[in-house]
Amino acid sequence: MSLFFLSLFTIFSFNSLDKESKLYVVSVGISDYATIPDLKYGDSDAEMVASLFQHSKMPHEIVLLKNNEATKNSIIIQLINFFSRADENDVVLFYF
């Protein structure tokens, strides 16, 4: 419940930023691990975070990486991609 309220607050805060600002979100969730016990909600939590920011009035780009898609390389590539394009007026959010 607190994640929901925090996320709503965050979305409303982002909506009040400069109209020229852009929101970049990389949301990563892993539930299926090879060497440790699986998690129940890692992938679904990442889906929820990504979907919450889909409703932002700011121009946005959202990448959702789950389970097998969420490799070290794919995460680093997405972060470099967003950080290299974002300027001082933009917001980059990394959820893991």
Side-chain angles (χ1 to χ4, degrees):
M1 197 56 98
S2 61
L3 174 63
F4 177 72
F5 290 121
L6 175 63
S7 297
L8 283 178
F9 172 76
T10 306
I11 290 170
F12 291 126
S13 298
F14 287 158
N15 287 336
S16 66
L17 289 173
D18 185 344
K19 298 271 190 227
E20 297 178 17
S21 298
K22 188 166 187 175
L23 170 65
Y24 297 95
V25 177
V26 178
S27 187
V28 179
I30 303 172
S31 292
D32 301 324
Y33 285 92
T35 58
I36 62 173
D38 290 347
L39 299 177
K40 289 186 178 184
Y41 306 109
D43 54 355
S44 59
D45 286 350
E47 285 177 359
M48 183 179 68
V49 168
S51 69
L52 283 170
F53 288 101
Q54 284 288 347
H55 302 291
S56 173
K57 292 181 182 175
M58 286 178 69
H60 56 272
E61 290 187 40
I62 299 171
V63 172
L64 172 62
L65 299 172
K66 299 185 316 181
N67 295 314
N68 292 337
E69 301 168 335
T71 64
K72 178 181 176 181
N73 285 340
S74 65
I75 294 168
I76 290 171
I77 287 168
Q78 289 302 324
L79 289 174
I80 290 171
N81 179 28
F82 282 173
F83 279 123
S84 66
R85 294 182 7 222
D87 66 25
E88 65 273 0
N89 296 316
D90 296 334
V91 176
V92 178
L93 175 82
F94 175 61
Y95 175 82
F96 184 84

